[in-house]
């Protein structure tokens, strides 16, 4: 069992930056691939980025590639999402999740989820 707690969300102007963090506790953090997802009002939850268990392989949605960077610190049991050049369409609740699969994009293949953190980008 893994408990996940996101932080770092907030209100930012378009073009600005935020860094989200996801603190893990419980089971061994480095046993899991980790992902970030987001959900905007009235829309389905969508994949943002994923990183493998050791942090040397990453996958990004096309909509965030080149602007967002996912990373992890297994010594600190923490996952990060650095978000640069933010756009109003990035506004959503952002969730971190843990998966036993390798860099999976499907929410259904993630076993544990955080409660989410709101990111709002104003134009």
């Amino acid at each position: 069992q893994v408990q996940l707690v996101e932080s770092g969300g907030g209100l930012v102007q378009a073009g600005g930056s935020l860094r989200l963090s996801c603190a893990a506790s419980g089971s061994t953090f480095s046993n899991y691939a980790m992902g970030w997802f987001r959900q905007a009002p009235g829309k389905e939850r969508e994949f943002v980025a994923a990183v493998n268990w050791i942090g040397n392989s990453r996958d990004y949605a096309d909509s965030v590639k080149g602007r967002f960077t996912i990373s992890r610190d297994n010594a600190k049991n923490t996952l990060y999402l650095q978000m640069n050049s933010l756009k109003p369409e990035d506004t959503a609740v952002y969730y971190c999740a843990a998966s036993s699969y390798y860099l999976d994009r499907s929410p259904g293949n993630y076993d544990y989820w955080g409660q989410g953190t709101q990111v709002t980008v104003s134009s």
Side-chain angles (χ1 to χ4, degrees):
Q1 193 101 9
V2 179
Q3 291 78 45
L4 303 171
V5 179
E6 302 95 335
S7 61
L11 174 64
V12 64
Q13 288 189 330
S17 298
L18 282 174
R19 188 174 84 153
L20 305 183
S21 298
C22 172
S25 61
S27 187
T28 305
F29 178 65
S30 58
N31 284 348
Y32 297 90
M34 297 296 296
W36 286 100
F37 292 79
R38 66 187 181 187
Q39 188 166 18
K43 294 188 177 182
E44 292 188 353
R45 191 168 298 189
E46 65 173 357
F47 169 78
V48 174
V51 62
N52 69 340
W53 68 277
I54 198 173
N56 62 355
S57 186
R58 301 171 178 85
D59 185 27
Y60 295 96
D62 288 344
S63 58
V64 307
K65 199 172 293 184
R67 300 188 298 123
F68 290 11
T69 301
I70 187 172
S71 62
R72 66 191 296 164
D73 186 334
N74 286 344
K76 295 183 178 180
N77 291 343
T78 304
L79 175 73
Y80 303 100
L81 185 68
Q82 178 66 44
M83 305 186 295
N84 299 328
S85 302
L86 282 161
K87 304 175 181 179
E89 51 264 43
D90 294 319
T91 295
V93 177
Y94 282 71
Y95 300 89
C96 67
S99 173
S100 300
Y101 292 83
Y102 181 77
L103 292 184
D104 204 278
R105 292 190 170 202
S106 173
N109 287 330
Y110 283 76
D111 306 299
Y112 305 102
W113 292 83
Q115 83 290 347
T117 185
Q118 176 70 47
V119 172
T120 303
V121 184
S122 63
S123 57

